């Protein structure tokens, strides 16, 4: 099936093929509104790429912005832990050095996760998983949870 896509209110008319639609919920029909980017082939003809139905495009954006249940659980766990740590330190039941150590090791863990993520993107030597686990066990687990969320890392390599 060959499709010609027109921009509303003018724009570039672009050719595409049905196979160029990625992850569609259904086969497009005449009159569907689609979202796409335009590129030129070797002959200078315009071709639509990265095509999706508007409905699918909106649904994908909503899923990407919606926090997952694991992310919510991480926020709850970190909030409860941080609150309890602060409460015990302020009430004198816990030495003030304990929250400082947790914070310092957590910041160090976030730094190591950032270095690892950067090395992965550049396809260079990465931080060993053992080092990340040791930092987590030494008290940097709050930082590890934050880093995994902030950097979108895969906790299971």
């Amino acid at each position: 099936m060959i499709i010609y896509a027109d921009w509303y209110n003018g724009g570039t008319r672009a050719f595409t093929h049905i196979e160029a639609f990625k992850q569609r919920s259904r086969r497009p029909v005449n009159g569907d509104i689609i979202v796409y980017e335009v590129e030129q082939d070797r002959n200078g003809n315009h071709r639509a790429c990265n095509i999706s139905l508007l409905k699918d495009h909106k649904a994908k954006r909503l899923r990407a912005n919606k926090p997952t249940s694991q992310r919510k659980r991480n926020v709850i766990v970190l909030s409860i832990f941080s609150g309890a740590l602060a409460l015990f330190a302020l009430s004198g039941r816990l030495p003030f050095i304990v929250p400082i150590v947790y914070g310092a090791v957590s910041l160090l863990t976030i730094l190591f996760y950032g270095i690892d993520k950067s090395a992965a993107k550049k396809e260079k030597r990465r931080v060993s998983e053992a080092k990340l686990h040791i930092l987590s066990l030494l008290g940097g687990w709050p930082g590890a949870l934050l880093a995994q969320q902030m950097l979108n890392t895969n906790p299971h390599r």
Side-chain angles (χ1 to χ4, degrees):
M1 177 178 188
I2 297 174
I3 299 171
Y4 282 96
D6 289 315
W7 285 89
Y8 282 104
N9 301 323
T12 305
R13 186 172 188 185
F15 162 82
T16 192
H17 191 271
I18 190 67
E19 292 174 1
F21 279 79
K22 304 287 184 213
Q23 300 177 348
R24 62 180 190 261
S25 59
R26 62 176 174 76
R27 189 176 185 93
V29 295
N30 192 19
D32 276 343
I33 299 174
I34 60 173
V35 178
Y36 64 96
E37 296 172 12
V38 177
E39 64 182 15
Q40 284 188 335
D41 62 15
R42 286 179 279 181
N43 300 328
N45 298 323
H46 292 99
R47 179 176 50 200
C49 63
N50 298 327
I51 308 166
S52 62
L53 294 168
L54 180 63
K55 180 184 88 163
D56 295 342
H57 180 74
K58 285 182 179 179
K60 183 179 176 185
R61 283 186 29 219
L62 285 174
R63 280 193 308 271
N65 293 334
K66 184 177 179 182
T68 63
S69 59
Q70 183 172 354
R71 184 171 288 198
K72 287 179 185 177
R73 185 175 56 240
N74 288 349
V75 168
I76 291 169
V77 167
L78 289 173
S79 299
I80 291 172
F81 177 75
S82 300
L85 203 60
L87 184 66
F88 284 123
L90 292 173
S91 69
R93 295 182 183 176
L94 193 65
F96 278 106
I97 192 71
V98 174
I100 293 170
V101 169
Y102 266 108
V105 177
S106 289
L107 287 174
L108 187 64
T109 304
I110 290 171
L111 176 70
F112 271 79
Y113 267 88
I115 291 168
D116 181 58
K117 181 72 172 189
S118 176
K121 285 182 179 178
K122 295 176 184 175
E123 296 182 6
K124 294 193 175 188
R125 188 163 187 223
R126 299 180 64 181
V127 176
S128 72
E129 198 168 350
K131 285 181 185 172
L132 297 175
H133 286 307
I134 288 170
L135 282 169
S136 295
L137 288 172
L138 291 175
W141 65 267
L145 282 177
L146 280 174
Q148 288 172 5
Q149 276 185 214
M150 292 179 345
L151 303 171
N152 292 326
T153 61
N154 183 0
H156 312 289
R157 284 195 217 170

